[in-house]
Amino acid sequence: MIISLRIKDAEAELIRQYAELHGKSVSETVREAILEKIEDELDADTYEKAMKFFASNPKTVSFSEMEKALDLQ
């Protein structure tokens, strides 16, 4: 898939310099930045859901209890 972006010349130059600094292509740099942003937002959403669940059911277990429950001992 090919995606086009409209960005200002100064932004394009910043991206190009950043990519060059890290030894990557502009395409690779932009792709990684977008995917990282998406993953960060998904992680934050998962955290928020887990915290809401924990607030309604604040039960915790120790590491050794978890090992036993998962039959890892």
Side-chain angles (χ1 to χ4, degrees):
M1 172 188 293
I2 297 173
I3 299 174
S4 297
L5 299 173
R6 295 189 198 293
I7 58 176
K8 296 176 184 176
D9 289 342
E11 295 168 334
E13 182 60 19
L14 178 65
I15 293 167
R16 188 196 63 71
Q17 288 178 359
Y18 182 87
E20 186 177 309
L21 178 68
H22 292 280
K24 298 179 181 179
S25 68
V26 168
S27 181
E28 184 179 11
T29 299
V30 172
R31 181 177 48 253
E32 287 178 359
I34 291 169
L35 291 173
E36 191 171 311
K37 174 72 172 165
I38 292 168
E39 289 170 1
D40 288 349
E41 287 190 23
L42 291 173
D43 289 345
D45 184 59
T46 299
Y47 170 79
E48 289 297 325
K49 288 177 182 174
M51 290 305 292
K52 284 179 184 176
F53 177 78
F54 179 73
S56 68
N57 182 22
K59 182 176 187 274
T60 60
V61 295
S62 69
F63 185 75
S64 61
E65 290 172 317
M66 184 60 69
E67 285 182 315
K68 288 178 188 174
L70 296 173
D71 197 28
L72 298 174
Q73 284 186 329

